[in-house]
Amino acid sequence: MFLDQFLPPDPVQIGHHKNLTLFAEGQGFALPRVRAMLAEDTKRYSDLCGSTVGMVMPLLDWRIRDMPFCVAACHEEEVVAAAWAGTVTSRETGAIGCNISYGVRPDFSGQGLSTILSAIAYQQCAASEPMLGFVNVQTEAGNDGAQVVAERLQLARAPAFDRKTSGRAPRLYVTYRAPEHLVAARCAAILAAAGIEVSPLPVRPAARRAQAVQPRIELPPSIAALLPPRRGSEMPHSQPQAAAPSSATSKALADNETLRKALAGQHGLLPGIALVEEQLKVARHATPDEAPFPLTPAEARLHHEASASAYSHSLEMVSSDFLRELHAKLGPAPGAPGAEDRTAADLEAENALLADALFGKYGVTSGADVIEKCLATATRADHLDSPFPLTAAQGALWHRAQQSAYVYVLEMLCTDRLKGLAPRFPLPADPAPAADEEPAPAPGM
């Protein structure tokens, strides 16, 4: 399973709840807008299991089958709550199920957001998989808020699937589970009571499915007609007395704003790089007791080393230090003091530098291609791909750690979205060699 199978689309507005706007975010965990909520506390992924979720994942009855559908609630421009629902397979019975998790900012708790968003996410998941047999919620014992939501979804305690981690401070994880048809009826009732109507998209043609675009929520015509224009199309307004900018200046302004957001906006590269650097710091200083799942001290050291190697390599591939230096040298942003003196030529020159840094031969998208190849190698987990002599078990552990790290990097840097932006900024081709220029000599043996 590779990340490019799940290209996150633009969020789709699906309705409102009180003073919040609800969106279908697409498929994935740390999708661009949801990442901002998660970044406020990197150790609190969601109310599901908190910072210890990695410790229990290898012990669970189920394994992830497909990337989860994500639904979010926004207050103005900020995601304040989210829910995920993805297909899983029971290791014990082989049945296909849906695992639900949810997170909410503390200042927006108590409004029923986790319940409503979980119901919508579940319906998206159910629309993509007609063979669902059960619905599951796994939560740390003592997480009362998460357990209340599970019970609201008509899930019952299933002690047979509880799991306890090992180590100095063992943790108990409790399971809530129910047949799919009970949860389906309950979710429909929850959304009806909240006045929210959700329906899946019709089956897409085979040519579209080949791009692995997953089923999403179909907007009622009444909501679609009210959607605001796509952000980023509005230009900074001139003072009323000023003459309207020329078309060349307008394009340069629009391009400059887009490129700056890609580099340093709320969901841009620099905030993502900061999160990756934080993970690198954790991996470099982690102790054996801080492994994400039960490991011996030697195995834990190997896991942390593999993770640190992947994070460090990724930062090099996207030239993180150079991007910070470039951002520091940029002129005033459109609309900022001093920006009125900048000409179209100034903006175009700056845009060329930004585009080359992002999409050029040695830019971020090229580095992302290398990271994706490394992810494919780690996913393949071939023992012969180990970077130095390791046993088969050690090699499997190394690849597993690297796979998790590379997945995290690609999600934090929003590389798929960045690649989608690249066609808007074509770069000049490398000059062809002169006719009288001799070809380079072949390498010696």
Side-chain angles (χ1 to χ4, degrees):
M1 183 183 298
F2 302 103
L3 281 184
D4 58 5
Q5 291 178 280
F6 303 98
L7 302 177
D10 291 336
V12 175
Q13 181 179 331
I14 58 173
H16 295 83
H17 175 66
K18 298 181 179 179
N19 63 334
L20 304 175
T21 308
L22 307 182
F23 288 90
E25 295 290 316
Q27 278 188 273
F29 289 101
L31 296 175
R33 300 200 316 165
V34 179
R35 184 182 67 183
M37 181 183 76
L38 305 179
E40 293 179 2
D41 184 352
T42 56
K43 293 185 178 180
R44 179 185 178 277
Y45 189 80
S46 77
D47 283 343
L48 171 65
C49 295
S51 61
T52 56
V53 62
M55 296 175 63
V56 73
M57 287 299 292
L59 310 177
L60 297 179
D61 163 65
W62 50 270
R63 59 182 175 83
I64 295 174
R65 177 184 177 92
D66 208 349
M67 295 288 274
F69 290 87
C70 178
V71 178
C74 292
H75 180 257
E76 296 178 348
E77 299 295 324
E78 295 184 357
V79 172
V80 298
W84 295 261
T87 51
V88 297
T89 302
S90 169
R91 289 188 171 103
E92 182 174 309
T93 66
I96 298 174
C98 169
N99 189 72
I100 299 176
S101 56
Y102 27 83
V104 59
R105 266 181 22 187
D107 50 328
F108 280 84
S109 62
Q111 301 184 34
L113 292 177
S114 293
T115 304
I116 291 173
L117 297 181
S118 295
I120 299 175
Y122 158 76
Q123 289 193 343
Q124 290 190 77
C125 181
S128 73
E129 177 51 71
M131 300 299 292
L132 289 181
F134 67 93
V135 180
N136 186 89
V137 163
Q138 205 91 27
T139 177
E140 190 171 356
N143 190 340
D144 296 333
Q147 295 172 35
V148 167
V149 175
E151 291 169 349
R152 287 175 180 167
L153 296 172
Q154 209 70 24
L155 303 179
R157 277 283 284 113
F161 300 105
D162 291 355
R163 295 294 185 267
K164 191 174 185 179
T165 64
S166 59
R168 294 181 180 178
R171 296 175 181 270
L172 173 64
Y173 291 86
V174 297
T175 305
Y176 287 77
R177 188 171 289 196
E180 187 271 342
H181 69 275
L182 294 180
V183 181
R186 178 58 180 159
C187 287
I190 288 170
L191 296 180
I196 299 172
E197 296 182 4
V198 180
S199 59
L201 282 175
V203 178
R204 299 182 186 275
R208 185 70 182 274
R209 289 201 305 272
Q211 302 175 18
V213 178
Q214 303 298 320
R216 303 184 68 220
I217 286 178
E218 182 180 25
L219 286 177
S222 58
I223 294 179
L226 298 175
L227 286 178
R230 189 182 296 270
R231 288 191 204 95
S233 60
E234 301 89 349
M235 295 307 306
H237 296 291
S238 311
Q239 296 181 357
Q241 298 82 3
S246 67
S247 58
T249 303
S250 295
K251 183 180 184 306
L253 283 168
D255 288 350
N256 192 257
E257 182 180 12
T258 299
L259 290 167
R260 282 174 178 266
K261 284 183 178 179
L263 176 62
Q266 184 180 8
H267 311 300
L269 283 164
L270 293 184
I273 285 171
L275 291 173
V276 174
E277 289 173 336
E278 185 64 27
Q279 290 299 105
L280 172 60
K281 188 186 304 180
V282 170
R284 282 177 171 170
H285 298 92
T287 65
D289 291 338
E290 295 173 312
F293 44 87
L295 295 171
T296 67
E299 290 172 337
R301 283 192 293 271
L302 184 64
H303 182 278
H304 296 321
E305 182 181 347
S307 299
S309 172
Y311 290 132
S312 178
H313 176 246
S314 299
L315 292 170
E316 291 177 357
M317 290 301 97
V318 298
S319 305
S320 56
D321 291 337
F322 170 76
L323 292 178
R324 280 204 178 91
E325 293 173 2
L326 176 62
H327 182 249
K329 294 176 182 178
L330 295 178
E340 61 275 3
D341 297 329
R342 306 192 71 191
T343 65
D346 295 332
L347 291 170
E348 289 169 355
E350 185 171 276
N351 293 346
L353 290 174
L354 287 167
D356 187 60
L358 299 179
F359 315 118
K361 184 176 181 180
Y362 304 105
V364 174
T365 51
S366 296
D369 289 339
V370 175
I371 296 172
E372 288 171 354
K373 290 177 182 177
C374 292
L375 172 59
T377 299
T379 303
R380 184 169 61 244
D382 189 329
H383 182 54
L384 297 178
D385 291 328
S386 299
F388 46 85
L390 294 171
T391 66
Q394 289 172 332
L397 180 62
W398 176 277
H399 290 308
R400 179 179 180 182
Q402 290 229 310
Q403 180 188 30
S404 297
Y406 283 127
V407 166
Y408 181 84
V409 168
L410 292 170
E411 289 195 339
M412 292 303 100
L413 301 186
C414 303
T415 54
D416 288 331
R417 180 163 293 191
L418 192 65
K419 288 183 178 181
L421 192 63
R424 288 182 52 184
F425 301 94
L427 297 170
D430 292 334
D436 57 350
E437 185 177 334
E438 294 185 4
M445 298 299 292

